Amino acid sequence: MLLAQKPAQCPNPIPLPGGPEYARELFPNGSGLAKLHYYRQQANTSPRAKGQVTAALNGHTNMIVAGGYSANQINELFFRMLSDACRYQSQDSDSYRLGVGLTNPERLCLDAMGRLQAEAEPTMSFTEYFSQWLNREGISLSDYFPQTLVNILSPANSLRIKYDHVTQEAKCSRWWTQMQEKQCTR
């Protein structure tokens, strides 16, 4: 019975997906998760913001692996954690801010959030939350108008790519674990 349930494209045992970098190579350039990884790697990204982004990426992967959550629930928690990262970046940028505009690290964080908001739009609307968050943080839309809002129809949806890939990999890993536990042979 278990042999008949083997997931497609699952030839070898694999570990459960995990970590902040998981599936990174699959994200198209310019997609929200690609922009987020770029922001996370920059030397001028504040340590607190970098740590929060890492925690958000880990949590996002772990929730997908755990199952039982809708993509909407997973993305909502992920987005809220990322808004904390951008808030930390803004607070930490205050020490070297020149004038009243956004610093480059703030702009990179907000651009990633804006792109992710556009990608999540088919399943949930973060537009109101994002707008309220910008207002609460004192960031004017005239200071920040993400290119992602212009490119909202872009087909590159890294959130969907990650969700589908992690779900498939977790299913494969669990199947192999069951096979080994029951000591089944191919």
Side-chain angles (χ1 to χ4, degrees), residues 1-6 173-186:
M1 179 71 174
L2 190 58
L3 285 172
Q5 296 173 352
K6 183 178 181 184
S173 177
R174 286 188 181 105
W175 183 84
W176 277 104
T177 300
Q178 286 180 341
M179 288 290 287
Q180 291 168 349
E181 286 172 356
K182 296 183 185 323
Q183 297 184 354
C184 297
T185 59
R186 292 187 228 179

Side-chain angles (χ1 to χ4, degrees), residues 63-108:
M63 282 183 78
I64 297 169
V65 169
Y69 301 99
S70 69
N72 187 32
Q73 291 171 312
I74 293 167
N75 290 339
E76 183 175 354
L77 180 61
F78 183 55
F79 197 78
R80 291 182 190 281
M81 290 181 77
L82 291 179
S83 67
D84 287 343
C86 290
R87 184 170 38 83
Y88 294 153
Q89 183 65 62
S90 183
Q91 290 168 354
D92 295 344
S93 292
D94 283 343
S95 65
Y96 62 87
R97 183 182 316 280
L98 300 173
V100 293
L102 296 174
T103 63
N104 190 51
E106 287 172 306
R107 197 170 295 284
L108 289 173

Side-chain angles (χ1 to χ4, degrees), residues 21 24 33-46 49-50 53-54 57 108:
E21 301 282 324
R24 181 181 180 177
L33 288 172
K35 285 177 178 275
L36 188 62
H37 281 287
Y38 176 78
Y39 164 69
R40 184 173 162 256
Q41 289 180 322
Q42 298 307 298
N44 56 358
T45 298
S46 82
K50 197 175 287 194
V53 169
T54 300
L57 288 165
L108 289 173

